[in-house]
Amino acid sequence: MRLDRFISQSAGISRSQARLLIRRGEISVGGEVAKDAARPVGEAETVTRGDLCLELPRPVYLMLNKPCGLLSATEDREQATVLSLLPPELAARVHLVGRLDKDTSGLLLLTDDGAWSHRIASPKHAIDKTYVAELAEPLVEDAEQRLAAGLLLRNEAQPTKPAILERLCATQVKISISEGRYHQVRRMFAALGNRVLSLHRERIGRLHLDAGLQTGQWRELTREERDCLA
Ligand code: URA
């Protein structure tokens, strides 16, 4: 990372303010006054301003138990977003890893590590997700086979990738999918002649929603949880 960017991120100031500090000779790298704002800062190098050692803020990785009724967005002019559940200083830093519909609850990930979220959301990795759905009608008998074969959704040319269904009772199921099309689960059940009454995400890849998190609560991921996804 360039020196001016490093200073801007670690001191919470703008890049031009960082360059001013460099021009004034206030910044040292490895004990030597640094003059070049574009010079890269190596991982092992120490950047100081006077006696103060400048360090990059460590990235944050959060899981949130999303309630229904909040938008999965970082900002919206009219409606409350999931970021309203976080303290302002965290909300200002993070972005969402994928989305849930306003009326879907459950596991949502947030981070300020763009490379991590990109890997998780990338269709290349096809990380599967499990949802619990309440249905309006008892599910048709051949649902398993039709979901495994792939369904053609309205206005789409490609069938869905194979999905796995587990019946919990006549009108409650678990479904695992490895894509993220618009309203995908709701549209899949519509294609089976049914209607989703409620939808809750309980798993992304190997990461399960913490059963101890009440609706609307969040916590940081452990290192193992972070690493099990990407
Ligand atoms: N599928 C949906 O239909 N909605 C969601 O929020 C997530 C998956």
Side-chain angles (χ1 to χ4, degrees):
M1 183 185 295
R2 285 171 54 116
L3 179 59
D4 53 357
R5 188 143 188 260
F6 182 99
I7 298 166
S8 143
Q9 289 194 5
S10 54
I13 57 176
S14 68
R15 292 270 282 274
S16 54
Q17 286 171 322
R19 284 194 284 270
L20 188 62
L21 294 181
I22 296 167
R23 277 203 300 279
R24 284 192 194 145
E26 291 189 29
I27 301 293
S28 300
V29 179
E32 301 274 314
V33 173
K35 288 285 171 203
D36 180 7
R39 92 187 276 293
V41 179
E43 290 219 339
E45 284 184 307
T46 314
V47 181
T48 48
R49 181 185 179 197
D51 291 339
L52 191 68
C53 184
L54 299 180
E55 286 176 351
L56 290 175
R58 67 182 177 89
V60 287
Y61 304 90
L62 311 178
M63 75 157 72
L64 168 74
N65 186 356
K66 178 192 176 295
C68 291
L70 291 182
L71 281 191
S72 290
T74 43
E75 54 182 68
D76 191 88
R77 285 177 175 212
E78 275 141 36
Q79 300 184 64
T81 74
V82 289
L83 292 190
S84 63
L85 298 167
L86 302 180
E89 63 281 6
L90 257 188
R93 275 175 69 177
V94 296
H95 59 266
L96 307 175
V97 186
R99 285 163 195 273
L100 291 174
D101 295 341
K102 186 175 171 188
D103 292 330
T104 302
S105 57
L107 179 57
L108 192 61
L109 300 174
L110 302 107
T111 185
D112 56 356
D113 180 345
W116 186 77
S117 56
H118 186 74
R119 284 197 299 277
I120 294 171
S122 160
K124 209 172 76 189
H125 290 103
I127 295 182
D128 62 329
K129 299 160 186 102
T130 299
Y131 298 82
V132 176
E134 298 274 354
L135 304 173
E137 311 287 340
L139 192 58
V140 287
E141 261 182 34
D142 61 352
E144 282 84 349
Q145 295 85 322
R146 290 168 66 187
L147 286 167
L151 293 170
L152 202 52
L153 302 180
R154 255 180 104 186
N155 301 325
E156 293 206 7
Q158 292 294 325
T160 53
K161 293 222 177 93
I164 298 170
L165 185 83
E166 182 188 340
R167 293 179 195 249
L168 302 175
C169 69
T171 55
Q172 194 187 43
V173 294
K174 273 191 194 190
I175 181 167
S176 300
I177 60 172
S178 57
E179 302 169 283
R181 301 190 200 187
Y182 180 68
H183 293 332
Q184 181 161 346
V185 174
R186 292 174 206 273
R187 291 165 68 215
M188 287 169 94
F189 285 107
L192 293 172
N194 215 313
R195 191 159 59 87
V196 170
L197 298 180
S198 74
L199 193 59
H200 178 83
R201 182 157 70 191
E202 59 174 33
R203 183 181 69 84
I204 298 175
R206 288 193 281 150
L207 182 67
H208 289 257
L209 178 62
D210 184 334
L213 276 187
Q214 301 297 311
T215 306
Q217 287 186 330
W218 59 274
R219 70 159 171 81
E220 281 203 48
L221 297 186
T222 62
R223 178 184 284 262
E224 290 72 31
E225 287 173 333
R226 181 197 72 191
D227 294 345
C228 83
L229 285 175

